[in-house]
Amino acid sequence: MQYVLFPGRHHLLTRFQADYLRNLPKSDGATVVWAVTSANHANTRRNPVAYHRREAAIERFSVMTGLRSLVVPVFDTAPTDRFAEVTIKNIATETGIGLTPANTVVACSTPEVAALYARLGFEIATVEQETGAERPWDVLIRLANGDEAWRELAHPATVDVFDRYQLADAVRTVVNDPVVGDEGGLTATRDYRSYAESFADSAARKWSAVREYVRPGRIVDIGCGAGAVLELADREPALRESDLVGVEVARHLFDECVHKKAQGVFANPNVFFYRRNVLGGAVFPARSVDTTLTFALTHEIWSYGEQAASLRAFVQAIYDHTAPGGVWINSDVCGPDDRGRPVVLRLDRTDGENPVEPRRDLAERPPAEVAAYVAGLSTRARFDQFAVDYRFPVEYKVDGDALRLSFGDAMDYLTRKDYTTNWLSETQEQFCGLEYADWKSLLADVGFEVDSASRTLRNDWVVDNRIAPVASLADLDGRQLDWPVTHVLLVARRPLNT
């Protein structure tokens, strides 16, 4: 036997693994080929440690154990029953080494994965499976849960790398993150390609609306998407001496930011990107940021966190990192004034299908099927589907052909009803949780001064083309209501003397 193929994510190495590999029958002089899967992922619940740190720990492990090793990155792929073949081909491409059943034994404790290699004729060494020893992921969960016993179970090579690069705290933060999913996105159903395209299309409009309020210095775009607004800031001569910083939680969008920087999209050498969840704690030192930009972000913090508590914590964090005299510019959706008042909503039934009952299985269906089904519903039937899928309960009464519900709930539906492509993602978010008065009160309570440039707006194109043709609003006495504001622009400044 010349090789031991050891596929896995290898976020953490254990003392057991060291003993097992050293004592593996017929392994004397063999090279351990560490196929590090999900090598292109980091800072996600499933893959909290970056590949280069995993590689460093493996190399140190090899030196400390005397095992000869090769470390090969394997990028994440869609689930496939050809995983074993893909990995072996990847190793051949990276190293020129052909692994075969004649020269290799596969070390793998996951039965489903081991079966893929056994099907190709490889002998399997089952590692933890045959002894009941704790698997590396179990030890990592001990770490995430604050159980210091992980240090005794992990190999000293891992402990050393984790301590030197302060990875233990980072792992705890990522694994215990209540907002970000296993793969590093806010929801599993979100189509990030369409989001990136949408951000790019609207970047010029967003930048033109806020440019005059930006204070040079350290400029931070939180929830920067694919970096489209920072691209425009990068072209401003007045900001050429500024630091431009993007913060994005979604792995797919962060990766695009890093790719753009690597491709030379930004002329300013002081452009930086961080993958962080701002709800997890401070990202920047106190009083260190001159301008913070947030576009279409605060409603997500409200929706995916704990509503008012999470949003207040976020606003406090922004205030804390803002330099005296600095500014936070926030553009987002907004609820109508007096959003709790009861209204009567009438919706068109003639512009699509009208099933007897809304479907309750959409979460189990492919995204394309969901999009096609919802798009085929009438505006009235789509409301019934919205009420089923919406994460925030809607209280309403059916009164003939009309619905009685709150002003805020009515607008939450009307401003969301056409987002069929990302329906199951959009129905996780509440647009109308706060109205303008709530925002002003919250900002003042934290310590910000609300600039006179702050204002509410109505997206007249959406009203004229998407809402008014298929819906009408009235008060309880039957008087027609004007369509309310849909967005807010907030310019909040930290006073100089604070």
Side-chain angles (χ1 to χ4, degrees):
M1 179 177 62
Q2 296 173 262
Y3 302 103
V4 177
L5 171 58
F6 202 174
R9 287 177 285 161
H10 299 306
H11 293 289
L12 182 147
L13 310 173
T14 65
R15 294 175 185 269
F16 171 81
Q17 288 175 325
D19 292 338
Y20 185 89
L21 291 172
R22 277 193 298 248
N23 296 318
L24 192 63
K26 299 185 293 183
S27 65
D28 287 348
T31 297
V32 181
V33 180
W34 302 77
V36 181
T37 59
S38 299
N40 55 325
H41 289 187
N43 291 312
T44 70
R45 193 174 299 158
R46 192 169 74 92
N47 293 292
V49 181
Y51 166 74
H52 63 287
R53 302 300 186 212
R54 291 182 256 173
E55 181 184 33
I58 293 170
E59 294 289 7
R60 183 148 180 75
F61 175 95
S62 299
V63 171
M64 296 177 72
T65 60
L67 291 165
R68 188 170 186 270
S69 293
L70 283 174
V71 188
V72 181
V74 179
F75 280 19
D76 200 50
T77 61
T80 173
D81 60 2
R82 295 178 58 82
F83 171 77
E85 292 100 316
V86 170
T87 301
I88 291 168
K89 289 179 181 178
N90 194 93
I91 292 167
T93 300
E94 290 282 333
T95 67
I97 296 171
L99 302 183
T100 69
N103 65 12
T104 303
V105 63
V106 175
C108 180
S109 64
T110 305
E112 297 81 5
V113 176
L116 299 178
Y117 288 97
R119 189 177 64 187
L120 300 179
F122 285 93
E123 178 185 349
I124 307 298
T126 55
V127 204
E128 294 90 2
Q129 184 186 351
E130 66 188 65
T131 65
E134 286 198 43
R135 300 170 190 247
W137 186 256
D138 298 326
V139 179
L140 195 78
I141 293 302
R142 281 183 180 268
L143 183 161
N145 291 338
D147 182 352
E148 287 300 306
W150 79 269
R151 291 179 173 274
E152 296 303 317
L153 295 166
H155 191 272
T158 286
V159 175
D160 174 56
V161 171
F162 273 42
D163 285 347
R164 280 190 286 134
Y165 292 99
Q166 302 180 54
L167 296 180
D169 287 342
V171 167
R172 290 189 185 101
T173 298
V174 172
V175 172
N176 296 317
D177 193 320
V179 176
V180 181
D182 288 353
E183 300 304 330
L186 290 173
T187 68
T189 59
R190 177 167 289 183
D191 176 1
Y192 283 98
R193 177 177 296 179
S194 67
Y195 270 75
E197 292 172 350
S198 175
F199 293 157
D201 291 344
S202 62
R205 173 179 52 79
K206 292 174 180 176
W207 181 245
S208 65
V210 305
R211 171 63 191 90
E212 64 183 293
Y213 311 116
V214 171
R215 173 170 137 164
R218 177 180 277 182
I219 300 169
V220 177
D221 184 357
I222 298 180
C224 66
V229 169
L230 288 179
E231 288 183 55
L232 298 175
D234 177 64
R235 300 171 193 169
E236 291 280 349
L239 302 178
R240 64 182 181 275
E241 299 297 327
S242 295
D243 290 351
L244 304 179
V245 183
V247 179
E248 177 54 54
V249 67
R251 174 178 57 81
H252 313 71
L253 299 176
F254 172 78
D255 288 347
E256 181 61 22
C257 291
V258 174
H259 175 71
K260 285 182 176 179
K261 183 176 179 181
Q263 294 300 308
V265 169
F266 299 95
N268 186 336
N270 295 313
V271 175
F272 308 95
F273 292 102
Y274 297 96
R275 184 152 184 273
R276 299 284 191 278
N277 174 13
V278 292
L279 296 183
V283 176
F284 300 98
R287 303 184 178 193
S288 68
V289 176
D290 295 283
T291 299
T292 302
L293 303 171
T294 52
F295 298 97
L297 172 70
T298 50
H299 78 274
E300 292 191 339
I301 291 172
W302 171 279
S303 300
Y304 294 107
E306 298 176 355
Q307 285 76 65
S310 293
L311 187 59
R312 182 185 174 84
F314 175 74
V315 175
Q316 185 67 58
I318 298 294
Y319 180 85
D320 290 344
H321 80 213
T322 300
V327 61
W328 173 31
I329 306 167
N330 178 37
S331 175
D332 206 349
V333 290
C334 181
D337 293 340
D338 198 12
R339 60 190 173 85
R341 69 181 291 191
V343 297
V344 177
L345 174 65
R346 287 183 167 82
L347 302 171
D348 194 342
R349 287 184 178 272
T350 67
D351 56 347
E353 299 294 326
N354 292 282
V356 176
E357 295 286 341
R359 286 180 61 169
R360 299 183 181 274
D361 66 340
L362 293 189
E364 304 165 11
R365 311 310 303 163
E369 180 182 326
V370 174
Y373 174 75
V374 175
L377 297 175
S378 73
T379 303
R380 175 64 182 82
R382 200 176 298 177
F383 174 86
D384 291 334
Q385 191 64 53
F386 180 80
V388 168
D389 298 324
Y390 192 40
R391 181 164 169 256
F392 302 87
V394 179
E395 295 184 6
Y396 66 98
K397 293 182 179 179
V398 178
D399 183 8
D401 64 345
L403 300 167
R404 291 176 178 249
L405 71 174
S406 74
F407 204 1
D409 284 342
M411 292 308 298
D412 247 310
Y413 169 64
L414 292 173
T415 53
R416 206 79 46 77
K417 68 181 179 63
D418 296 296
Y419 293 156
T420 57
T421 301
N422 284 295
W423 179 260
L424 292 178
S425 175
E426 293 293 346
T427 53
Q428 299 302 298
E429 300 178 7
Q430 186 175 39
F431 280 14
C432 300
L434 294 180
E435 59 189 81
Y436 190 42
D438 299 325
W439 269 115
K440 291 191 291 185
S441 177
L442 174 58
L443 291 171
D445 193 43
V446 169
F448 278 114
E449 293 179 346
V450 181
D451 192 282
S452 59
S454 300
R455 59 191 183 275
T456 53
L457 310 97
R458 189 179 76 181
N459 188 324
D460 287 332
W461 187 94
V462 170
V463 169
D464 294 341
N465 293 277
R466 300 293 191 189
I467 298 178
V470 294
S472 66
L473 272 177
D475 64 19
L476 297 186
D477 294 324
R479 290 185 292 266
Q480 293 297 304
L481 298 174
D482 290 334
W483 296 109
V485 300
T486 56
H487 291 75
V488 64
L489 175 66
L490 296 162
V491 181
R493 302 186 185 278
R494 178 166 180 162
L496 283 168
N497 59 351
T498 60

